[in-house]
Amino acid sequence: MAQQLLMPKATAVWLVDNTSLSFDQIAEFCTLHPLEVKAIADGEAAQGIKGMDPIITGQLTRDEIVRAEKDEKYRLKLAPPKVRVPEAKRKGPRYTPVSKRQDRPNAILWLVRNHPELKDPAISRLVGTTKHTIEQIRERTHWNSANLQPMDPVTLGLCSQIDLDLEVEKASRGMPRPEEVAEEERLLSAAQTQNYRSGSAREDGELDAAAVFAKLTSMRRTEPEENAEEDELR
């Protein structure tokens, strides 16, 4: 990836104000036209732009500027970056090495069986295959269907576990989970549990009160009988 100057016009403003470089040198370094650089020097252009020091940003060194000031034919060169930024991945079909292309049908069969929620485009992105091949494996019309064995595409090295998890998560969004629904139906709510406990407590209380009243009644009945026996003996 070719290195590019950040904020070229702001850099040109700073170079015009702080160096004795020629307009051609500044224009070529900042990818501008020499007349545009002259307009910046005359105050006719970039009036609201604040100059940016390329030395602070690490895109130019002081030695490079001094060397260019001494030689008008010398052209400024960008300093090598201290941090390498990885290139953005291009969108498109995944490239599969020739040595692993024979494993793609087995990986497709594994995905179809273990993740039926995945659509054809998702499987195609994971293993780099075509929709026609996926349909043949789904319908068992592939020329080698009898010999296919389901194999994990991550183990085969056709995709990473992170890519697989992301595709499965995308495909599972919004889908009901019968296990969770059944579990919720089996569990009682907190209100129901409290009502059940309070009801049982009331029942136990009623039973205890009845037993106490019955015992008191029996005691009252036995007291007169004992008094009558004592009178007879006297």
Side-chain angles (χ1 to χ4, degrees):
M1 183 177 179
Q3 187 182 359
Q4 296 181 353
L5 178 67
L6 300 176
M7 303 181 66
K9 190 166 289 188
T11 303
V13 172
W14 188 91
L15 292 174
V16 168
D17 295 337
N18 297 275
T19 66
S20 59
L21 296 172
S22 65
F23 295 158
D24 293 335
Q25 288 174 315
I26 297 175
E28 186 169 346
F29 180 72
C30 299
T31 62
L32 300 173
H33 194 278
L35 293 178
E36 189 173 1
V37 177
K38 184 178 182 301
I40 293 174
D42 295 338
E44 298 176 358
Q47 295 179 358
I49 298 178
K50 183 179 180 180
M52 186 182 71
D53 188 352
I55 300 175
I56 295 177
T57 58
Q59 297 188 99
L60 201 60
T61 63
R62 173 62 65 181
D63 295 338
E64 187 75 5
I65 294 176
V66 172
R67 183 178 178 182
E69 288 177 335
K70 294 179 180 179
D71 185 2
E72 293 185 0
K73 296 182 180 179
Y74 183 78
R75 294 297 179 254
L76 294 169
K77 296 178 182 179
L78 283 171
K82 297 180 181 179
V83 179
R84 296 288 182 181
V85 180
E87 296 184 13
K89 294 183 178 180
R90 298 180 181 178
K91 293 184 179 180
R94 180 187 298 272
Y95 173 75
T96 305
V98 178
S99 59
K100 296 182 180 180
R101 291 180 185 178
Q102 60 183 359
D103 297 329
R104 284 189 298 190
N106 296 328
I108 296 171
L109 182 61
W110 187 91
L111 291 172
V112 169
R113 289 187 178 182
N114 293 276
H115 295 287
E117 69 275 10
L118 290 177
K119 303 297 183 181
D120 292 352
I123 297 176
S124 180
R125 287 192 297 268
L126 287 172
V127 298
T129 186
T130 62
K131 184 178 180 181
H132 179 66
T133 304
I134 299 173
E135 291 178 352
Q136 287 182 338
I137 294 176
R138 285 186 187 274
E139 299 171 1
R140 297 182 180 180
T141 58
H142 191 268
W143 65 273
N144 197 27
S145 294
N147 299 322
L148 294 182
Q149 297 180 357
M151 299 182 69
D152 189 348
V154 177
T155 304
L156 295 173
L158 296 175
C159 67
S160 65
Q161 187 64 48
I162 296 176
D163 293 337
L164 177 59
D165 294 342
L166 288 175
E167 292 293 349
V168 172
E169 183 182 358
K170 290 179 183 178
S172 302
R173 289 176 184 172
M175 294 182 63
R177 298 182 180 179
E179 295 82 1
E180 294 182 359
V181 175
E183 186 69 20
E184 291 178 358
E185 292 178 353
R186 288 196 295 268
L187 294 175
L188 295 175
S189 64
Q192 292 175 341
T193 305
Q194 291 176 357
N195 292 334
Y196 176 76
R197 290 179 179 175
S198 60
S200 61
R202 284 195 298 270
E203 291 176 359
D204 294 341
E206 291 176 359
L207 291 175
D208 294 339
V212 172
F213 289 141
K215 188 174 182 179
L216 290 174
T217 303
S218 64
M219 291 176 64
R220 289 175 182 176
R221 289 178 181 177
T222 54
E223 287 178 357
E225 293 178 356
E226 292 177 353
N227 295 332
E229 291 179 356
E230 291 177 356
D231 294 339
E232 291 178 356
L233 292 174
R234 291 175 184 176

